[in-house]
Structures are given as C-alpha cells and as structure tokens.
Amino acid sequence: MNKLNPRQSEAVKYIDGPLLVLAGAGSGKTSVITQKIAYLIDQCGYQGRQIAAVTFTNKAAREMKERVRSLVDKQKCRGLLVCTFHTLGLNIIRKELSTLGFKPGFSIFDQSDAHALIKELLYKDSDIDSDHVDMLQNMISKWKNELISPEDAMAQASSGGEQQLAAVYERYTQALKAYNALDFDDLILLPVQLFRKRPDILERWQRSLRYLLVDEYQDTNGAQYELVRSLLGDRKGLTVVGDDDQSIYAWRGARPENISQLNKDYPDLHVVKLEQNYRSTGCILKAANTLIDNNPHEFNKRLWSDMGFGDPIRVIRTPNDEAECERVATEILDQRLRMGCKYKDFAILYRGNHQSRTLELKLQQFQVPYTISGGTSFFSRQEVKDMLGYLRLMVNPNDDNAFLRIINTPRRKIGPTTLEKLGLFAQSEELSLFDACNHPNLRHVLPPDAHTRLTEFHDWMLVLLEQAENDDPIKAVEKMVTESEYEGWLHQNASSPNVAERRMQNVHALVGQLKQTLEWLQEDNEDAGLQAVINRLLLRDMLEQQEEEDDSDRVQLLTVHASKGLEYPHVYIIGWEEELLPHRSSIEEGNVEEERRLAYVAITRAKRTLTLTMAAKRKQFGDWTTCNPSRFLEEMPQEDLVKIGFGGEADKALNKARGRETLASLKDLLGR
C-alpha cells in the first residue's frame, strides 16, 4: 500500500458504494485491483470465496492471481475467483447444469466448430448462400451478446432475408442443445437467462459473491453488463476499472457506453481518476491527450508523467509503401546500433494485417529478426485440428466434441437433422454420441440411410481404435488419414491446389511428430501409447509458444488492436494515413471516434520514442493510389513533431545529423 499514489490508494480503500476507477493508459490499474482484493480480505473482513475479480484474458487473470497470492496469506485466499467473464459463466453453468437442461460432459464449441455447424445448416436447410457463413456467425454472436433470443430475432425481422437469418439462428440453437453443446457466447448468455427466470438461484449466487471487481469495463458487451448487474443486485460491493478512451472493440460487441450507464444504474457511483502514467514520456502523453480531446467525454482526464518530456515524435513520409517498410527496417538497425538496445525493444504497429506483408519481406532482406504477435500456432490450423479430432476420438470414444468435429469432415452425408436426432437419443440413453451410433434402438429413430452411414462410421473407427490400442498406433493413424480421403476433401474445398497441398503437408508433419514423440516416449516406457503422445505434443506446443514469447530477441509486429495492454521502449506506427488510420470503412460509417481511440491506444504503447510513418502512394490491385496523411496528424501538437520527407531544408539538416550520429556510433563500436 505504501507504493500506491494518492489516487490509487483512494481507489483501494473506497468501499462505501459502487466505484468507477477511470484508469488511463499505463496508470497502474492492475496494482489497484490486486491491492484492493488484499485490502478487502485483510482489512474489511471478506473471505476469499466471497470475492470475484473478472477480466477479459487468461493472461491478465493469471497475473492478477499471482500478485494477490504474493500479498495475502494462502489460507485467506481460499475460494477467491480471479478469472475471465467466460470462466465465471462456465462455473455458473457447471453448478446449475441440470436446471439448464444439459448433461455432464457437455462440449464447448470454439469458433471453428460453430462455423462448421452453421455452414452445415445452411447447406442442408436454407436458401442462404454458404459464402455468408461468416456474416451469419457474427450476427448470431451479436444477437447473443445483446441477449436477443431466436424468438426475439424472428419478431424483430423486417424482411424475408432477416427472417431466414433468424430461422438459422433458431436451428443452430436447437442443434447445439441436441449435441449437449454450448458455444462461447452461451457461457455468458445462459447464466443471464437463468438468473432472469430463476430469482431463487440468482439470490443464492448473490449471497455467495459479496464483492465484484471488473477490469477493462469499457470492453463489456450487453450480456456481460447484465451478468455483473444481476450478481451485484442491490448491494454496493462493486469496483469497475476502465478507460473509455481505450474502447476499441465495438466491432465485436463491446459497448463503451456501459461506463456512462453506470451513472444511471448507480446514482451514488464514486469516481476515482488514475491520471499519473508510469510508462511514457511527457511528449508522448501530450500527443495522446491532445488527440483524444477531439472525442466527446463524460469523464475528462489528462495523463501526466514525471519521467521527463523526452524526445519529440518523428513523422516520416516516404515515396511509397515499399520505401516506408525499408526505412523502418534500416532505422531499427541504425537505432539499435546507436542506442545499444535489443531488437525486442522495438514494436511495429499497423491497422490491418495486410500491412505486414511488405514489412516482413524488408525485415528479412535486412536480416532483422521479428515475430508476429498472435501468429497462428501449428495446432490451431484447421487441418491439424481436424486430425486431432480423429486422434482424440481414437483415444477417447466418449469425446463428443471430437465426434462432432470429424463426423462430417470429410462430408459423409450425415446432416444436422441426423446429428440432432442422434444427440437427443444419446441424451435419453445416457451414452456418448459414438456409442449411441451402435445402439440397436437407434434404427427406430433414424431413416435407414442415415442409420447405415452412422453405423459404417462407427465400425470403421472401431477398427482403427483396436489397431491403435493393440497393434501399431502410427499405422492406425496413417490408415485413418488415407481411408478418410481427407486429402481429396482438402482439394475440393481449398482455394487452389497449392493451398490444399500445403495443408496436407501439415497433416503429414503432424503424423511425423506423432511417430517421433512415440518413439521417444517408449524409450522410457514401452507401454506409452497414442494418448500420451497427443498430450505431450499439445503441451510441447504451448511451452514452445511461451518460451518464444518470453525469451526471443525479435522485433514485435502486431496490429494496434493486438497491442492493447502492451508497452515497448520504441514504437513505430506505419500507415499513418487517411483510409488506413482512420480506416476507410470507419470513415464511411461515421465511426471515426473509435478510430481515434485506436490511434490513442497505439501512441500510448510507446515508452521512450515514437515514430509515425506514411507513404505518398501505395499500390492497390496493380495501380498506384495517392495517399494523404491521417487527419489525426493535424490533431496532435505540431510543436512536438519532427517531420521528415515532407521536403525543405529541415530534411537535409536532419539527414546530415543522422549520418554523423551513425558514423560516430560505428567508430565507437570499432574502437572497443
């Protein structure tokens, strides 16, 4: 507590009513949340199990939990819930499973599972083009986030097309229930619906959770807001931490107005502003403050720092996008030499993923090591997940989620209606979906053709199961890959033969890894089998990702959205242009305010130096287009900007000075 500044200390100690902590970028909000949990337990008589702290990422939840454990005795922490919104919802669902109408062992569909189900429903039952699957999946997610049921969606439909969308939403909901499955959005939706219908269950949860703390409140959607409000009830045990200036996820359902709504729902709301920034120089903060002042605010705040004013912000204009990326690559080499820093001290941010293509080529050309944050893990690729679905079913026939993933991959003419009937039958007989395929009474539920296809699949998989268990598991896997005709299915569905071949190479790589790992494990334990291999591979993948994230000395490449919550000594933001930042679609939709918040987030990632780059022209679809500087450039303090590449004597002087500095650094390096 002694390390907290006065405003942080006020936020920790205030327990007389609902509290909004308006926490600017880099203002130490995690310390406030963790110290407040410790204060509630040590000074206010709360037990750990009576407190829930909710955030948006597992990484943030882990960090909070570790900090709390370093502050509070383990015994007092027992039962403390520090988790994501979705984990909180999952805990509620597990404890109220029978009331919600699900059986134990329910599956949770990830985005690709849900996508496949919606695609199958469109293929079977609807006139909607299957190319619209992504749009419909986003629409269903939006409906769920705003607590709109299929019946509500149908009632609100104002055209035949909207009625079709609502009808697919209803079929999708029915299919999930029949499969004993939930999707990601259900983890919030179902608890809220349950609390609305069953006040007695809500009252029990309100009694067990006496204090709620919510991080990143500006990112909550309608369903999450309702979940918090329901659990809080008429009590005052609430602290929410957020920053309306960092609300950048409206496109996925976040409602920045939820912060304003707090004033209406809780008239006695107390507000504490955290404005001291512990990350950036005064110059960077001045630019961020001046820019974001152009947005309307219900709560005004102004970031400040005692770290000195620092270097001015450089704005570099290059002839084209290729020259822009080359300039950034050579600048990083130059600054690393002159300042003696590491590659991982540099981050290059961009508005859209497509901007990284030329950038990667230039970094490779100049041998600058880099990593793209949020890159796709090998085990996250569609074809690898499909094969892992088969493997998981081979080692555990009760894995309903794996069964649903692979039963129609490749297509076996087993549609959603058949699977829905199979799911309901399996529920009534208390069987897994796989075992239900072989039940003698199933023939009374399904048409003969559908029943035959399921029994054929069951019998084929059973042979593979027995071979994997009693003979050579790798030969069983290779047989499965061949007999499933997965390679032909890839060629049917890929955008080109080359794409299909690359995806099939990943399948072969997975089989090769299985074989190699099995041989290695059997050196210590000759009885090791496929289950041990799969677990080891997944664990190794996670560990390697963590090791690369923590230890590699590489320049960080990432979108502005992915950069939120991170910080770097030296930041480059490329594409500081109209129609890139702000993005053209946002300009057309009149949503420049969110783009300004995105620019604010990007600027406040920088600790010591910030460089904005732009191109005079870019090649699009084979043609050159002229680019204009972003309107946000004019909204920043011009006296703190050093502009390079805009012409004039200033450019020549800067280039000479830069050359002298680099030469001096080289001489110094060689002199050592």
Side-chain angles (χ1 to χ4, degrees), residues 173-451:
T173 303
Q174 291 168 349
L176 282 178
K177 192 66 181 287
Y179 299 165
N180 195 42
L182 315 170
D183 68 16
F184 208 53
D185 296 315
D186 286 329
L187 298 179
I188 309 296
L189 174 68
L190 292 180
V192 172
Q193 290 178 333
L194 176 67
F195 290 158
R196 283 179 171 181
K197 293 175 183 175
R198 294 289 302 273
D200 56 321
I201 294 176
L202 173 58
E203 187 179 349
R204 174 159 37 88
W205 279 91
Q206 287 174 340
R207 285 198 306 268
S208 66
L209 289 177
R210 290 181 52 207
Y211 205 99
L212 291 173
L213 302 98
V214 185
D215 189 20
E216 303 287 6
Y217 201 71
Q218 75 282 348
D219 294 336
T220 54
N221 58 39
Q224 289 159 343
Y225 186 91
E226 181 73 18
L227 181 62
V228 171
R229 193 168 65 170
S230 297
L231 287 170
L232 184 64
D234 295 329
R235 294 164 303 144
K236 298 184 176 183
L238 175 69
T239 292
V240 303
V241 181
D243 181 4
D244 50 354
D245 289 333
Q246 294 188 74
S247 180
I248 58 174
Y249 296 118
W251 53 276
R252 68 182 189 195
R255 295 172 50 182
E257 61 268 26
N258 282 351
I259 286 184
S260 302
Q261 186 66 33
L262 283 168
N263 256 337
K264 300 171 186 173
D265 289 340
Y266 308 105
D268 56 342
L269 181 73
H270 184 63
V271 179
V272 174
K273 299 178 184 179
L274 303 185
E275 297 172 298
Q276 182 174 359
N277 175 283
Y278 293 93
R279 174 190 299 160
S280 307
T281 64
C283 180
I284 292 168
L285 296 180
K286 180 182 173 185
N289 287 329
T290 308
L291 174 68
I292 206 64
D293 279 347
N294 290 277
N295 272 5
H297 291 85
E298 182 159 347
F299 304 100
N300 291 310
K301 67 178 184 310
R302 199 152 198 85
L303 296 178
W304 60 275
S305 167
D306 60 7
M307 299 172 66
F309 194 74
D311 295 339
I313 296 168
R314 295 185 311 140
V315 183
I316 301 175
R317 191 171 189 232
T318 60
N320 53 56
D321 49 341
E322 189 171 325
E324 176 189 34
C325 294
E326 183 169 316
R327 176 70 182 246
V328 172
T330 56
E331 283 235 352
I332 288 173
L333 287 172
D334 175 51
Q335 289 193 58
R336 182 172 176 270
L337 176 66
R338 286 194 288 111
M339 295 185 292
C341 48
K342 297 181 178 180
Y343 284 118
K344 64 182 179 182
D345 292 336
F346 295 89
I348 307 172
L349 311 185
Y350 36 83
R351 175 64 175 84
N353 280 307
H354 67 279
Q355 292 172 259
S356 70
R357 295 170 194 159
T358 306
L359 185 59
E360 286 190 74
L361 291 173
K362 290 300 178 183
L363 291 172
Q364 290 167 8
Q365 179 183 334
F366 289 95
Q367 298 182 335
V368 176
Y370 67 89
T371 182
I372 299 181
S373 297
T376 304
S377 155
F378 176 74
F379 287 84
S380 298
R381 299 179 189 278
Q382 189 77 28
E383 59 275 13
V384 176
K385 289 178 75 173
D386 288 342
M387 288 298 109
L388 283 173
Y390 278 99
L391 295 170
R392 283 162 46 202
L393 197 63
M394 287 172 70
V395 299
N396 177 18
N398 293 321
D399 190 333
D400 284 351
N401 204 11
F403 177 93
L404 290 168
R405 181 174 192 92
I406 56 100
I407 185 62
N408 232 11
T409 306
R411 195 178 298 283
R412 297 184 176 89
K413 296 183 180 179
I414 300 171
T417 303
T418 298
L419 290 174
E420 191 172 328
K421 290 178 179 177
L422 174 67
L424 293 171
F425 178 79
Q427 277 188 338
S428 66
E429 298 292 332
E430 297 185 349
L431 296 169
S432 69
L433 294 172
F434 182 78
D435 288 342
C437 291
N438 198 41
H439 195 284
N441 291 337
L442 184 63
R443 68 178 64 252
H444 303 308
V445 176
L446 296 175
D449 286 351
H451 180 259

Side-chain angles (χ1 to χ4, degrees), residues 41-61:
I41 293 173
D42 285 338
Q43 304 295 325
C44 304
Y46 284 84
Q47 298 176 31
R49 59 183 174 80
Q50 296 173 322
I51 302 170
V54 189
T55 187
F56 277 84
T57 67
N58 287 316
K59 181 180 177 183

